[in-house]
Amino acid sequence: MEEFDIAVIGGGMVGASLALALAAAGRRIVLIEGMAPDCSTHPSFDERTTALGNASRRILEALGVWGAVADQCGVIRAIHVSDAGRFAFAHLNAREQGIEAFGFVVPNRALGAALWQQLRTHDRISVRMPATVESVSTDTQAVTVRLAGHSSAVRARLAVAADGAHSAVRRDAGITATEADYDQVAIVANVAADTPHDGTAFERFTSAGPLALVPLRDGSYTLIWAHSPQAAAATLGASATDFLRQLQQHFGWRAGKFISVGGRASYALKLTRADAAVAQRTVLIGNAAQSLHPVAGQGFNLALRDVASLAELVAANGDPGAEAVLAAFAQSREEDRRGVTRFTDGLIRMFGDTRAAVRLGRGAGLLLFDLLPPAKSALARVSLGFGGRAPRLARGLPLR
């Protein structure tokens, strides 16, 4: 039986970030990962990109990984939101808000490589991979994690589930989850236009589903385009010429003429919410706690605030799995988690409503938003969270 302070189950971007943050709090960590995350086959480090807000950038700076990815990131200097078929739109400019950028678009492979490079140099982090969790059991003093095919087990004072929307740790902890199927499939691809971007990210709500273009370092875009499952199959199978034609038709010409598209991937879109954030000596973070629609790019940013909040509490308390520590974590994260979930889910439902009165109201709302500087300022600060106190790392402060 190997003894640790904390066992982190799941070595994707969220779990790897947490391991680094907890090690910085002076704890001995074991990170358990089912696949060898060599950033070429691991599903968390695929061809997708992630949009990071400024608070997330500060957290990654504190973890020592931002410097390794900064020169590979696209920079979001403006955001353009529109509703297809309506004249109204909203435009936000970072300079007008007194900031360099709203966010940064990092390739998942680059961020995964930077996180694991840092992990491998940290003497407080032990890694078990590839290792599959067979069972997780708890008592009042510790958590025991048994690994498939291993005669020995891992024992820790706290287990953290960072193992995704279908979390085995969540199941073993007895935490139920609710799932809402959006009946949508996200198509992800890199596309280029005949005019390099100027740092503008686009969010356009179309009859086919929400369509986002986020700027990449090389002047092209990452496309995230939601479809119905039936339409997604046809769009994925279309030739490059037909795909670009459909994209142009639904998006319009604000980004210029689309001239090329890379490999296409897809994944189903569902909202999964755990019915509790903690159980006996167990914490859920990232997709194990809530898996969101990608509209507005909030999922990983929310998860990093989970990471920073948990690390801050662990640094300030002796027993990381004590009931009072877990209760404080759940309370500190509840408002932010609920706010982000309502925000993303509300956008999908509001812009998916085809009733004429609702569409008219959306147009009026976008026009009003575009004319109200306080509303724009509030949205510019969204990377600090949707409620509650922002964690210290997100504000550029040390853990303690």
Side-chain angles (χ1 to χ4, degrees), residues 229-288:
Q230 298 78 13
T235 303
L236 281 167
S239 67
T241 300
D242 286 344
F243 182 91
L244 293 171
R245 178 184 53 78
Q246 292 178 42
L247 175 60
Q248 198 84 63
Q249 177 184 348
H250 284 89
F251 181 79
W253 298 87
R254 288 184 177 90
K257 180 181 179 180
F258 295 110
I259 56 174
S260 66
V261 57
R264 287 164 257 174
S266 66
Y267 57 98
L269 299 179
K270 298 179 181 181
L271 170 62
T272 304
R273 288 176 287 188
D275 296 325
V278 300
Q280 186 180 54
R281 293 201 172 269
T282 304
V283 167
L284 311 183
I285 66 169
N287 285 349

Side-chain angles (χ1 to χ4, degrees), residues 182-200:
Y182 286 113
D183 195 31
Q184 290 183 342
V185 172
I187 296 175
V188 181
N190 286 358
V191 297
D194 58 359
T195 303
H197 65 70
D198 61 358
T200 297

Side-chain angles (χ1 to χ4, degrees), residues 206-225:
T206 79
S207 59
L211 187 164
L213 288 173
V214 291
L216 298 176
R217 180 75 175 186
D218 64 359
S220 64
Y221 297 92
T222 285
L223 166 71
I224 308 100
W225 191 4

Side-chain angles (χ1 to χ4, degrees), residues 29-370:
I29 312 301
V30 59
L31 179 61
I32 302 168
E33 167 53 43
M35 297 183 66
D38 60 3
C39 304
S40 62
T41 59
H42 195 280
S44 290
F45 309 141
D46 57 17
E47 296 301 330
R48 287 175 288 180
T49 59
T50 295
L52 303 169
N54 286 303
S56 296
R57 172 183 55 80
R58 287 190 285 270
I59 293 170
L60 293 177
E61 284 176 341
L63 301 184
V65 300
W66 178 249
V69 299
D71 63 354
Q72 301 178 64
C73 291
V75 181
I76 301 174
R77 297 188 174 89
I79 300 173
H80 190 283
V81 183
S82 60
D83 188 6
R86 312 296 297 182
F87 173 74
F89 66 89
H91 187 267
L92 293 87
N93 187 285
R95 186 175 300 174
E96 292 175 358
Q97 302 301 323
I99 54 178
E100 173 198 353
F102 289 116
F104 304 86
V105 184
V106 59
N108 285 10
R109 288 198 195 282
L111 182 54
L115 286 166
W116 273 87
Q117 182 178 13
Q118 191 77 351
L119 280 168
R120 292 187 176 99
T121 65
H122 213 300
D123 58 6
R124 290 187 178 275
I125 301 174
S126 297
V127 176
R128 302 290 180 271
M129 71 174 189
T132 303
V133 173
E134 188 174 83
S135 67
V136 180
S137 57
T138 63
D139 55 45
T140 58
Q141 300 300 313
V143 181
T144 301
V145 182
R146 300 196 178 278
L147 306 177
H150 290 251
S151 58
S152 61
V154 168
R155 193 165 169 85
R157 289 191 286 173
L158 173 66
V160 183
D163 53 343
H166 305 290
S167 171
V169 180
R170 183 182 67 207
R171 179 201 62 214
D172 286 359
I175 300 175
T176 56
T178 57
E179 184 179 279
D181 193 335
Y182 286 113
D183 195 31
Q184 290 183 342
V185 172
I187 296 175
V188 181
N190 286 358
V191 297
D194 58 359
T195 303
H197 65 70
D198 61 358
T200 297
F202 296 92
E203 188 79 54
R204 185 159 175 81
F205 295 90
T206 79
S207 59
L211 187 164
L213 288 173
V214 291
L216 298 176
R217 180 75 175 186
D218 64 359
S220 64
Y221 297 92
T222 285
L223 166 71
I224 308 100
W225 191 4
H227 284 61
S228 70
Q230 298 78 13
T235 303
L236 281 167
S239 67
T241 300
D242 286 344
F243 182 91
L244 293 171
R245 178 184 53 78
Q246 292 178 42
L247 175 60
Q248 198 84 63
Q249 177 184 348
H250 284 89
F251 181 79
W253 298 87
R254 288 184 177 90
K257 180 181 179 180
F258 295 110
I259 56 174
S260 66
V261 57
R264 287 164 257 174
S266 66
Y267 57 98
L269 299 179
K270 298 179 181 181
L271 170 62
T272 304
R273 288 176 287 188
D275 296 325
V278 300
Q280 186 180 54
R281 293 201 172 269
T282 304
V283 167
L284 311 183
I285 66 169
N287 285 349
Q290 67 279 308
S291 178
L292 307 176
H293 195 287
V295 66
Q298 291 298 312
F300 184 62
N301 292 283
L302 178 62
L304 277 183
R305 296 195 293 274
D306 287 346
V307 165
S309 295
L310 182 57
E312 186 176 331
L313 281 165
V314 166
N317 292 275
D319 182 355
E323 186 176 345
V325 175
L326 301 190
F329 174 77
Q331 183 178 16
S332 70
R333 298 301 302 139
E334 181 180 2
E335 190 175 354
D336 189 17
R337 285 175 163 178
R338 185 174 60 246
V340 173
T341 302
R342 286 179 176 173
F343 174 65
T344 56
D345 187 55
L347 282 176
I348 294 306
R349 299 193 186 283
M350 179 178 68
F351 282 93
D353 196 319
T354 58
R355 289 174 294 177
V358 176
R359 288 175 61 85
L360 185 62
R362 288 200 305 258
L366 281 174
L367 280 174
L368 185 61
F369 177 87
D370 202 51

